[in-house]
Amino acid sequence: MKEPQSIATLASRFSMLPGVGRKTALRYAYAVIDLTDREVEEFCESLKEVKHSVKLCSQCGNFTDSDVCDICLSRQSKQICVVAYPKDVTAVEKTGAFNGVYHVLHGTLSPMNNRTPDDLNIKTLMTRLSGVEEVIIATNPDVEGEATAVYLARLIKPLGIKVTRIAQGISMGSELEYADSVTLSQALGRRTEL
Amino acid sequence: MKEPQSIATLASRFSMLPGVGRKTALRYAYAVIDLTDREVEEFCESLKEVKHSVKLCSQCGNFTDSDVCDICLSRQSKQICVVAYPKDVTAVEKTGAFNGVYHVLHGTLSPMNNRTPDDLNIKTLMTRLSGVEEVIIATNPDVEGEATAVYLARLIKPLGIKVTRIAQGISMGSELEYADSVTLSQALGRRTEL
């Protein structure tokens, strides 16, 4: 005997989320039964809303509800912090240690996965560099993140712009998204020139 | 700076699920952006489907898509296993150690939370007892589960029916839902008469 078909189906949907295994997915599916009709309705609306209203900022590439994101609109800075993913912007912002603007690559260079510079949001970055004094590269401290940092440094340094890398205060192999704010804050403070 | 409004809203929806904190909820919300439109559509349909199609079996009270659940339809048994929640049926079924039918109370007695016998699915249980030889009470081995077991035993034993309790092989204070199949299987095998 198994759970009702509709529960099994909903569980399989939850399984698409990161880190959700079969048991957790079933637990979520059963929990949905206890939600009110209104809550389920709102849940659905939010799911669709995210797909329809979330766009990429035309300047930095971060997620936004409008054409240009809040950070690009409200900040003038000669420092650009380059990150791989939008979630990394959230992580750096949480430290409060950086007041500049961001640029989201939406990935890292990875020959293994066939991700070349053309697949990353690099062209727009190059158009944003006039007047910029420093580009801080805050990709993850893993092989792909390092490769991306080196690639960008070679591209940008010839333009006379300082290119720095967040300090390896974050342990090798870990992910930026999960770093605690103190560690990430230190890594920003101790950044080294490439 | 915060995440876009629609992301924050969706994250708050995910927070309604059991064990999902703010960070996990945000992670799920960001993951939804990477789903296809079709996947989001299917996700919504499944959410609503569960709310609309999942009913309670008119006999045992377990979740089902039809009027009577698969177990009640397919099994004739003189043993009824009484559990607090539908997820506990899944747990017991997984052991393969029980071939009888179930009865789902949808809760346990709890004076603290104002849950009295009238709030539980007990009346239907009493109507199912003719011809039954044994009622196995498989509520959690915690205060409320024990109280419910004692209450049911007092109600059912006078009818000349054997009332048993799953053995306390499961450690006190833990939850049935998370027990491994071996432990739960042993607890069923060593059940003691109340």
Side-chain angles (χ1 to χ4, degrees):
Chain A
M1 182 271 173
K2 296 215 220 86
E3 45 285 330
Q5 186 54 46
S6 54
I7 292 278
T9 307
L10 179 57
S12 76
R13 310 296 183 214
F14 277 120
S15 302
M16 295 188 297
L17 299 172
V20 178
R22 196 182 161 278
K23 209 160 183 176
T24 306
L26 265 180
R27 197 167 170 225
Y28 291 168
Y30 275 119
V32 168
I33 297 177
D34 294 331
L35 299 180
T36 64
D37 280 342
R38 197 192 151 81
E39 283 171 334
V40 169
E41 198 59 55
E42 287 173 346
F43 205 140
C44 285
E45 277 165 25
S46 298
L47 278 171
K48 290 177 183 168
E49 176 72 12
V50 157
K51 275 304 284 184
H52 295 149
S53 79
V54 172
K55 290 170 277 207
L56 301 186
C57 169
S58 60
Q59 290 186 29
C60 73
N62 194 8
F63 290 138
T64 172
D65 287 328
S66 20
D67 180 49
V68 178
C69 76
D70 287 352
I71 294 182
C72 287
L73 272 179
S74 63
R75 294 188 195 166
Q76 294 286 336
S77 177
K78 292 177 174 173
Q79 291 183 313
I80 297 184
C81 179
V82 176
V83 294
Y85 298 103
K87 60 192 176 188
D88 299 329
V89 172
T90 311
V92 175
E93 278 296 289
K94 245 180 91 183
T95 69
F98 181 69
N99 290 312
V101 292
Y102 293 88
H103 194 82
V104 183
L105 298 175
H106 290 280
T108 43
L109 293 180
S110 170
M112 294 278 287
N113 296 306
N114 249 341
R115 273 201 309 278
T116 66
D118 286 341
D119 298 317
L120 304 184
N121 184 23
I122 292 178
K123 269 179 201 146
T124 324
L125 173 62
M126 300 312 285
T127 67
R128 297 176 70 196
L129 294 180
S130 72
V132 167
E133 287 175 357
E134 181 180 5
V135 173
I136 304 169
I137 302 179
T139 49
N140 282 334
D142 54 19
V143 178
E144 297 182 358
E146 289 295 329
T148 311
V150 170
Y151 176 84
L152 288 176
R154 281 194 196 149
L155 211 62
I156 298 168
K157 275 175 81 174
L159 308 174
I161 298 166
K162 192 171 154 189
V163 179
T164 55
R165 178 91 175 97
I166 50 166
Q168 300 268 1
I170 312 168
S171 58
M172 197 79 181
S174 70
E175 289 183 42
L176 211 78
E177 183 185 2
Y178 301 113
D180 63 278
S181 297
V182 178
T183 311
L184 195 52
S185 183
Q186 282 182 341
L188 271 167
R190 292 181 193 161
R191 63 184 181 268
T192 54
E193 196 161 354
L194 290 179
Chain B
M1 181 272 175
K2 297 212 221 91
E3 45 286 330
Q5 186 55 45
S6 54
I7 293 278
T9 307
L10 179 56
S12 76
R13 309 297 184 214
F14 277 120
S15 303
M16 295 188 296
L17 299 172
V20 177
R22 196 181 161 281
K23 211 161 181 175
T24 306
L26 265 180
R27 198 167 170 226
Y28 290 168
Y30 276 120
V32 169
I33 297 176
D34 294 332
L35 298 181
T36 64
D37 281 340
R38 196 192 152 83
E39 283 171 334
V40 169
E41 199 58 55
E42 288 173 344
F43 206 138
C44 286
E45 278 166 25
S46 298
L47 278 171
K48 291 177 183 169
E49 176 71 11
V50 156
K51 276 303 284 183
H52 294 149
S53 79
V54 172
K55 289 169 277 205
L56 302 186
C57 169
S58 59
Q59 291 187 27
C60 72
N62 193 9
F63 291 138
T64 173
D65 287 327
S66 19
D67 179 49
V68 178
C69 76
D70 288 351
I71 293 181
C72 286
L73 271 181
S74 62
R75 293 188 196 165
Q76 295 285 338
S77 177
K78 292 178 174 173
Q79 292 184 313
I80 298 184
C81 179
V82 176
V83 295
Y85 298 104
K87 60 192 175 188
D88 299 328
V89 173
T90 311
V92 175
E93 277 297 289
K94 245 180 92 183
T95 70
F98 181 68
N99 289 313
V101 292
Y102 293 88
H103 194 82
V104 183
L105 298 175
H106 290 280
T108 43
L109 293 180
S110 170
M112 294 277 288
N113 295 306
N114 247 340
R115 272 202 309 275
T116 65
D118 285 342
D119 298 317
L120 303 184
N121 184 25
I122 291 178
K123 268 178 202 146
T124 323
L125 174 62
M126 300 312 285
T127 66
R128 296 177 71 197
L129 295 181
S130 72
V132 167
E133 287 174 357
E134 181 180 5
V135 173
I136 304 170
I137 302 178
T139 50
N140 282 334
D142 54 18
V143 177
E144 297 182 359
E146 289 295 329
T148 311
V150 170
Y151 176 84
L152 288 177
R154 282 192 197 151
L155 211 61
I156 298 169
K157 274 174 81 173
L159 306 175
I161 298 166
K162 192 169 155 191
V163 178
T164 56
R165 178 93 176 94
I166 50 166
Q168 299 269 0
I170 312 170
S171 56
M172 197 78 181
S174 71
E175 287 181 43
L176 209 79
E177 182 185 3
Y178 300 112
D180 63 278
S181 297
V182 178
T183 311
L184 196 51
S185 183
Q186 282 181 338
L188 271 169
R190 293 183 195 161
R191 63 185 181 268
T192 54
E193 195 162 355
L194 290 179

